[in-house]
Amino acid sequence: APPTGQELVELSRRESLGQFDHLLHARGTAYTPLVPGAVVVVLVRVLGLWSLNSCRIVHVIDESVRGASGTIDRFGFAYGTLPGHAARGEERFLVEWHRGDGSVWYDILAYSRPRHPLMWLGYPLARRLQKRFGRDSGAALQAAVRETLTQWS
């Protein structure tokens, strides 16, 4: 059976940034706690070049809000790049469970600008990789949920 909205939100709460690293074709920390101030460092290889990039978790969202269709449980986090990162910006990852209709939504909000000269040169490629990450991260979250649910049964 497909996971319920509540199961998806609960599993999302237990995820760490390490779950997202492979989407960037990167190597990073195996576990980063989702708390403001935690730092994650990711080693990324693009076109044969390695780049070490660090970010800091700046915000964690864990709340229930009233919407037009009822209660919405929200869980997510945002991180910002640190000096030395190839880009300058922030990304927010958010999972919402709309209790009224049982639907689950996954949303990424990101903004960035190249910081490193090589990223300026490869800006079109960088944008393509960012869009691919956004598309693939939802599939990765679903796969992680399925794997965890399989282990539970």
Side-chain angles (χ1 to χ4, degrees), residues 110-122:
Y111 65 90
S112 67
R113 294 177 43 102
R115 179 180 290 168
H116 191 277
L118 286 177
M119 191 163 172
W120 276 109
L121 291 173

Side-chain angles (χ1 to χ4, degrees), residues 33-93:
L34 293 177
V35 295
V39 174
V40 62
V41 178
V42 179
L43 182 62
V44 181
R45 185 174 184 196
V46 178
L47 299 175
L49 300 173
W50 290 96
S51 175
L52 190 61
N53 296 287
S54 57
C55 299
R56 178 172 317 213
I57 297 175
V58 295
H59 186 67
V60 175
I61 302 157
D62 193 357
E63 64 188 7
S64 291
V65 297
R66 290 289 286 156
S69 62
T71 301
I72 302 169
D73 289 347
R74 300 172 47 179
F75 179 78
F77 64 95
Y79 64 75
T81 61
L82 293 172
H85 193 291
R88 176 184 335 225
E90 290 189 9
E91 267 186 305
R92 185 209 63 206
F93 303 88

Side-chain angles (χ1 to χ4, degrees), residues 79-134:
Y79 64 75
T81 61
L82 293 172
H85 193 291
R88 176 184 335 225
E90 290 189 9
E91 267 186 305
R92 185 209 63 206
F93 303 88
L94 184 66
V95 176
E96 293 184 340
W97 171 35
H98 296 240
R99 290 183 181 211
D101 64 8
S103 64
V104 176
W105 294 83
Y106 175 63
D107 183 54
I108 298 176
L109 176 63
Y111 65 90
S112 67
R113 294 177 43 102
R115 179 180 290 168
H116 191 277
L118 286 177
M119 191 163 172
W120 276 109
L121 291 173
Y123 190 64
L125 174 62
R127 292 295 298 149
R128 227 177 15 245
L129 292 173
Q130 288 173 330
K131 287 179 182 181
R132 185 177 76 188
F133 173 77

